[in-house]
Amino acid sequence: MKEKKIPCQKKSVGFDLKLKIIDQVCNGQISVNHASVKYQVGRNAIYYWLQKYTTLEQKQKGMANKDEIKKLKEKIEELEFIKDFQQMVIAEAEIDTGNDYAKKSLPESLAKEVELKKKAILKSCGSANASGYQDKPSTKK
């Protein structure tokens, strides 16, 4: 048996509620999809209201927020790269000296990351001696 489709009923939404929804969406508090579910209003209606009632100031603020988010994401990527680089330097220093700098100086979670990097370095460089450190070729002749 086929289910009958119930025609979509238009919901009358007051002007104040429209402005509230527009404000929340423009300020990034909720997405259009979330607003649609929360207020039981069609997404197309919300997009229409955004187009019709959004002020220039709200549009500029929305664009500024998107630009700020993009810049913050780029900064996070940069900081992740720096953190990985610093951990590699620490791991290599620990391998060369036999000291555990990370365990003494870093929070436990970061020290574990350094330990993983150290193991990866040792694995990629070949055999390790009994203590777990790389056998280095002698420089003496």
Side-chain angles (χ1 to χ4, degrees):
M1 216 192 275
K2 288 186 178 181
E3 285 187 32
K4 287 186 177 181
K5 288 187 177 181
I6 300 171
C8 187
Q9 295 177 351
K10 288 193 175 188
K11 181 179 178 182
S12 178
V13 178
F15 188 70
D16 289 339
L17 181 58
K18 289 177 185 178
L19 292 180
K20 179 180 178 180
I21 294 170
I22 290 168
D23 188 53
Q24 288 179 344
V25 171
C26 287
N27 289 330
Q29 294 171 323
I30 59 175
S31 68
V32 171
N33 288 338
H34 184 77
S36 175
V37 172
K38 182 176 179 179
Y39 297 106
Q40 298 178 348
V41 177
R43 289 188 315 258
N44 287 339
I46 295 172
Y47 285 120
Y48 175 76
W49 300 337
L50 284 168
Q51 188 177 22
K52 187 172 180 180
Y53 299 118
T54 305
T55 64
L56 182 59
E57 181 182 332
Q58 286 173 317
K59 288 178 184 176
Q60 288 173 339
K61 186 176 181 182
M63 287 189 294
N65 287 345
K66 287 179 184 176
D67 288 342
E68 184 177 358
I69 289 169
K70 183 179 176 185
K71 286 178 186 176
L72 289 172
K73 285 180 178 180
E74 288 172 356
K75 187 66 174 176
I76 288 169
E77 277 185 37
E78 179 185 337
L79 292 172
E80 286 286 337
F81 176 81
I82 291 169
K83 180 187 87 165
D84 287 342
F85 178 76
Q86 290 172 337
Q87 287 176 340
M88 287 298 282
V89 170
I90 293 169
E92 289 175 1
E94 286 184 0
I95 291 169
D96 289 344
T97 64
N99 292 327
D100 286 330
Y101 301 115
K103 287 182 183 175
K104 296 175 187 173
S105 306
L106 297 175
E108 186 178 339
S109 61
L110 293 176
K112 286 180 182 178
E113 289 181 33
V114 170
E115 189 64 29
L116 292 173
K117 286 187 179 7
K118 192 163 59 171
K119 287 178 182 177
I121 291 169
L122 292 172
K123 185 177 179 181
S124 69
C125 291
S127 66
N129 62 23
S131 66
Y133 293 104
Q134 181 70 32
D135 288 327
K136 295 181 185 176
S138 174
T139 55
K140 295 180 183 177
K141 289 188 179 181

